[in-house]
Amino acid sequence: MFIAHAPSGYLLGKLLQQLPHCSLAPRALMLACVAGATVPDVDLLYFYLADGRQTHHHQYFSHWPLLWLSLATLSIAWLGVRRHSPWAQGSLAFTLGGLLHMLLDSFVGDVWWLAPFHDEAYALFSVPARYHPWWLSFVLHWSFAVELLICVSATLVYVYRRPSRMEQPSCPPSA
Ligand SMILES: [Zn+2]
C-alpha cells in the first residue's frame, strides 16, 4: 500500500474517538493511531540507505504482524491493570494502527505473517509486474482504487467531521 496508510490511521482514530471512557485527549489518540499506521514504513530508510535494497522491507521486524499482535496484547494487559491510563490507551491505539498497517499491506503485498517462526509470505491479491517502473504496475492495478477510496473517505470524514470535545466552544454564542 502506497498512499492510504496515514488516511487509514486517521479513520481508525475517528472510530476510536467514538468509544466511551477514553481519557486520552482526542488529538493524542489521533496522533497515536496515525503514527502506528505509518511507522512500520520507516524501515524504508534502512532498506534504501543501509541494506542496499537486498531484502524485501516487509521482512524486517517492523513489518512482522506477530510483533504488532504481541504489542497489542501487552497494551491490552496494561489497560487491564491501569484502565484509565492515557498512556495505556495511547499504546493500544498505536499498536492497533500498526496492525492496521499489516492488514493493508497484506492486501496486495507480501507480508510474512508468521515471521520470525516461518519464512513464507502471504498476500490477498497479487499485482502482475506489467509496467516499468515497478510502482506503475501497482498504481494502474484495480487495487489502487481501494487506496483512493480510503483517501477519499478520510477526506470526507475530515471535511464533515463534528467538532471534538476539545474544539467545541465552552459557551453558546450570544444572540
Ligand atoms: Zn508497510
Side-chain angles (χ1 to χ4, degrees), residues 1 5 40-41 57-58 63 101-102 105:
M1 190 145 285
H5 285 306
D41 279 345
H57 80 108
H58 286 182
H63 269 86
H101 186 112
M102 299 300 112
D105 270 0

